[in-house]
Amino acid sequence: MSTNADVSVTLARNATVLATVDETTFLVDPLFAPQGALPPIDDTPNDRANPLVPMPDVDLAHDAVIVTHRHPDHFDEAAKAELDADVPLFCQPAEADAFVEEGFTDVRPVEDAASFADVTLHRTPGRHGHGELAERMGPVSGFVLEGDETLYLAGDTVWYEPVAETLDRFEPDAVLLNGGAARFNEGEPITMGVDDVVAVREATDAAVAVAHMEAINHCLLSREELRSETEDVLVPEDGEAIEL
């Protein structure tokens, strides 16, 4: 992706983004399935097939891949088939073996930090919901991409103290949140809703953008609602590139 910005993000769909720091582009959480090819997520308020929308016409050229966690809306069978087997692939340590078993030959689990090109990747904590439900959702991570400027990819997390600590520790120039207020029929949302986004906005001077919207059947918060309830927050459309 050609850009003169030190940090830029192109939203493909859902949490699938191209994140460019300096001149290195990471493809994050690839969901490549055609519209409607996947079943709805169970026990959720509607039963529409996923993804809800088609993949936009976006150049997905990348230098490396980051998978924050292996839920099917962040890494799917189509991505497994389409990605180059030898692409550098950064992931959670607990999920590295699964990628190796699928035939990827350059899997790089990140315990704390790793380097690629001129970018340092720091794996950061996430909590995919609240209470017992968060435990059942399994481990999730965010990643801080640190080059001349710094981008914090929060991943599938709600607002909680480790997110605040990550903002304080790294003082990122830009933050990308996963919104949508995804939820099941019971319990609180498992990704950020309006209050979570507002909390992040109040905790940092960084540019704040929100993805993970309007693409999966259990994401109930719309872009329009989020925009109307927040200030100074970027909510890109699918296929939109933003410089941060």
Side-chain angles (χ1 to χ4, degrees), residues 24 55 62 71 77 92 95 109 160 182 189 194 198 200 217 228 238:
T24 302
M55 179 68 91
H62 54 276
H71 287 174
E77 290 293 323
Q92 304 183 107
E95 296 178 333
Y160 76 132
V194 170
V198 169
V200 173
N217 73 296
S228 69
D238 292 347

Side-chain angles (χ1 to χ4, degrees), residues 13 31 33-41 46-53 73 215-218:
R13 178 185 58 181
L31 167 66
Q35 181 180 7
L38 304 177
I41 292 175
N46 68 60
D47 60 356
R48 297 170 64 193
N50 292 312
L52 303 179
V53 292
D73 62 323
I216 300 295
N217 73 296
H218 69 333

Side-chain angles (χ1 to χ4, degrees), residues 133-234:
L133 178 57
E135 295 296 321
R136 295 203 305 270
M137 294 300 292
V140 296
S141 296
F143 285 84
V144 169
L145 308 181
E146 187 176 22
D148 288 340
E149 294 194 18
T150 301
L151 171 63
Y152 172 30
L153 305 167
D156 271 11
T157 186
V158 295
W159 169 258
Y160 76 132
E161 189 59 31
V163 173
E165 292 168 355
T166 298
L167 293 169
D168 288 342
R169 175 185 173 191
F170 292 101
E171 298 182 341
D173 300 286
V175 179
L176 181 67
L177 306 175
N178 286 356
R183 65 185 308 153
F184 298 98
N185 287 319
E186 303 290 337
E188 297 177 77
I190 59 173
T191 61
M192 289 198 176
V194 170
D195 290 347
D196 304 88
V197 174
V198 169
V200 173
R201 176 66 286 167
E202 292 176 347
T204 180
D205 293 329
V208 175
V210 184
H212 202 276
M213 305 282 288
E214 300 181 355
I216 300 295
N217 73 296
H218 69 333
C219 290
L220 304 183
L221 175 65
S222 70
R223 288 183 171 99
E224 181 179 357
E225 182 181 356
L226 181 60
R227 289 175 182 137
S228 69
E229 297 289 337
T230 57
E231 295 182 4
D232 195 25
V233 172
L234 298 167

